[in-house]
Amino acid sequence: MQEIGVQTLLHVERRQTSSRSSTINQCKGTESPVKDRVCKDIGAGKPLEDWAAIHWKLVKKRVRNLRQRIYRATQNDQWNRVRSLMKLMLRSYSNLLLSVRRITQGNQGKQTAGIDGQTALTSEQRVQLVNRMQDKTLWQVHPTKRVYIPKTSGKLRPLGIPASENRVAQTIVKNALEPSWEARFESHSYGFRPGRSCQDAIQKLTLKLKCLWNKRFRKHLSVSMRRTN
């Protein structure tokens, strides 16, 4: 039975890849490795030259739409579609651009270099980082730089600082995995989730305890009124 299942899965994989390749070849002038609605979004036709010429509104829209598709497919238990969309996100050029921008511009530790000693603080360095990441394999990583920072007690705490390329790769993978797991998490979990903080958890606990207290107070009041009557 196990061998039959493996053979059927391989047959399905071949059929899916063949259908993808046929739809990819229909896009004129592009060689996209994965099927997508926007053929020119998966891989850049030519290397990036100007960082200021990037249409960031369109880049964010494409990444947001793909994240929403992963979220909806997970809610509907369409696991083959979830897997295909995750692979699509990992190879998306818009995801690469947005990840580089988040690491080199929006992150507080953008000036901290890893073991390679490289940072991307200028537009030219960001363009070079994007072009390097296009040929990089995500699971090939550099070792982290180990530093020791002081604690309030006077002791030292070890801290590992990854290289810039590794941080970009982590952000790329995060955009692929996060929407799927957000659809599966419980509504009352708040730890390390986007758009949620400790204040949200405190507010939820306050409302819950207040509701329980009101129910208990009403029950105690009704019992006391019955005794007096």
Side-chain angles (χ1 to χ4, degrees):
M1 293 295 292
Q2 189 174 1
E3 294 179 357
I4 295 174
V6 172
Q7 292 177 358
T8 55
L9 285 176
L10 291 175
H11 180 68
V12 171
E13 285 289 336
R14 293 194 189 98
R15 187 173 61 189
Q16 288 179 352
T17 52
S18 62
S19 62
R20 286 198 196 104
S21 60
S22 62
T23 52
I24 291 167
N25 294 329
Q26 293 176 1
C27 300
K28 297 181 180 180
T30 58
E31 294 181 355
S32 302
V34 182
K35 175 178 175 294
D36 190 20
R37 294 179 180 177
V38 184
C39 299
K40 296 182 180 180
D41 181 42
I42 298 300
K46 58 181 180 179
L48 181 65
E49 297 178 356
D50 188 6
W51 181 260
I54 300 175
H55 196 324
W56 289 112
K57 187 175 181 179
L58 182 60
V59 168
K60 292 180 180 179
K61 180 181 179 181
R62 288 174 177 172
V63 176
R64 183 176 64 251
N65 290 342
L66 191 52
R67 284 173 60 95
Q68 291 175 355
R69 291 170 63 186
I70 296 174
Y71 187 89
R72 289 194 300 267
T74 305
Q75 283 184 328
N76 297 329
D77 295 335
Q78 299 174 346
W79 303 114
N80 290 333
R81 182 181 293 271
V82 170
R83 182 172 177 271
S84 299
L85 291 174
M86 283 184 177
K87 292 170 64 177
L88 189 64
M89 178 68 85
L90 292 176
R91 302 179 189 183
S92 173
Y93 187 66
S94 296
N95 187 19
L96 172 60
L97 293 176
L98 192 61
S99 300
V100 171
R101 183 186 182 187
R102 186 171 300 173
I103 294 301
T104 59
Q105 289 183 286
N107 193 6
Q108 294 181 355
K110 59 185 177 182
Q111 298 181 356
T112 305
I115 196 171
D116 55 352
Q118 295 182 359
T119 56
L121 301 179
T122 62
S123 299
E124 292 78 9
Q125 292 176 346
R126 297 187 186 106
V127 169
Q128 294 175 4
L129 180 58
V130 170
N131 295 330
R132 288 199 310 268
M133 289 298 298
Q134 283 188 279
D135 300 328
K136 181 179 175 58
T137 306
L138 294 180
W139 55 83
Q140 294 178 355
V141 298
H142 300 286
T144 58
K145 180 181 178 181
R146 179 57 60 94
V147 296
Y148 293 89
I149 58 176
K151 299 171 64 175
T152 55
S153 60
K155 299 181 180 180
L156 295 178
R157 181 174 72 87
L159 179 65
I161 302 176
S164 299
E165 294 182 359
N166 296 345
R167 280 180 274 182
V168 173
Q170 290 174 2
T171 310
I172 292 174
V173 176
K174 177 186 175 184
N175 285 332
L177 295 177
E178 189 175 61
S180 178
W181 285 102
E182 280 294 321
R184 285 180 270 183
F185 281 152
E186 296 180 353
S187 59
H188 55 269
S189 62
Y190 294 88
F192 300 98
R193 296 185 62 182
R196 300 194 178 196
S197 61
C198 297
Q199 286 75 16
D200 297 327
I202 293 173
Q203 184 179 5
K204 184 70 175 181
L205 286 173
T206 303
L207 294 175
K208 189 68 176 178
L209 292 175
K210 186 177 180 180
C211 183
L212 292 175
W213 175 259
N214 290 336
K215 290 182 179 179
R216 184 174 297 180
F217 179 75
R218 291 175 183 175
K219 183 178 180 180
H220 179 71
L221 182 62
S222 61
V223 170
S224 60
M225 291 180 64
R226 291 176 184 175
R227 289 179 179 178
T228 53
N229 294 332

